[in-house]
Amino acid sequence: MKFMTGAIVLSTVMMATAGGAFAAEVTRHKIPNSDFPIAQAVEIPAGMTTVYVSGALASVADEKAPKGSIEAYGDTKTQTVSALQSIEKTLAGMDLKMSDVVKMQVFLVGDPSKESKMDFKGFMEGYTQFFGTKEQPNLPARSVFQVAGLAGPGFLVEIEVIAARP
């Protein structure tokens, strides 16, 4: 009887170990015939946990600029990099990486220096420092919206993400 119990335990351990080795992974579907750095869709298999990260804003980039001004936080590119660095730090605190991001929503305020239109080019210059690189090729599904305003004056960018944990 002891042999049989030991065999069942050993068999269970072996199956659990093998199951982990063959665990399903996130599937990122590319946009057909495009090199645009987002995924058309992302599939998260059963057994993974999703982590919803609240919107991140930029940190002050220029302490000498008037408080609450665009100059204090920087242009869209600068704010994008700052917000993504904040997200990166938040994820790291949860043992996750930017490569675990599966969905992103981006809110851009119209830049007064660009006829109050969102600076999509500036956003992309910041975004592509974190996604679609040789070091971090995983692309999230993503939406970008122009909004009338954010939590405070001077903010041009807010980014929220969803990450998947194996």
Side-chain angles (χ1 to χ4, degrees):
M1 191 67 155
K2 278 186 172 181
F3 172 75
M4 202 149 160
T5 304
I8 291 170
V9 170
L10 180 61
S11 172
T12 303
V13 169
M14 288 175 66
M15 287 190 319
T17 304
F22 296 106
E25 294 193 20
V26 170
T27 303
R28 297 167 194 270
H29 299 276
K30 294 183 178 217
I31 299 172
N33 305 312
S34 175
D35 62 355
F36 196 69
I38 65 170
Q40 182 178 40
V42 178
E43 288 183 65
I44 303 171
M48 293 188 89
T49 301
T50 52
V51 178
Y52 299 81
V53 179
S54 293
L57 298 163
S59 298
V60 173
D62 182 355
E63 297 282 342
K64 296 176 184 172
K67 187 175 181 173
S69 67
I70 291 174
E71 296 75 24
Y73 296 103
D75 62 10
T76 298
K77 177 182 176 182
T78 301
Q79 290 194 33
T80 298
V81 169
S82 180
L84 289 172
Q85 287 171 335
S86 174
I87 290 168
E88 190 170 48
K89 183 177 178 183
T90 298
L91 291 171
M94 295 183 279
D95 295 323
L96 292 165
K97 299 176 184 170
M98 293 300 253
S99 59
D100 297 313
V101 172
V102 294
K103 173 70 173 138
M104 177 183 291
Q105 288 188 301
V106 180
F107 306 94
L108 301 177
V109 172
D111 186 335
S113 71
K114 307 229 180 273
E115 300 176 359
S116 293
K117 294 180 181 166
M118 68 177 178
D119 180 8
F120 188 73
K121 180 178 184 252
F123 163 73
M124 288 299 293
E125 289 172 355
Y127 169 86
T128 55
Q129 293 179 34
F130 294 83
F131 295 93
T133 66
K134 186 176 181 181
E135 299 79 28
Q136 201 299 87
N138 292 348
L139 300 174
R142 188 192 78 201
S143 300
V144 178
F145 308 92
Q146 180 168 338
V147 296
L150 293 170
F155 291 122
L156 296 173
V157 179
E158 184 169 352
I159 302 171
E160 59 184 40
V161 300
I162 300 171
R165 180 191 307 280

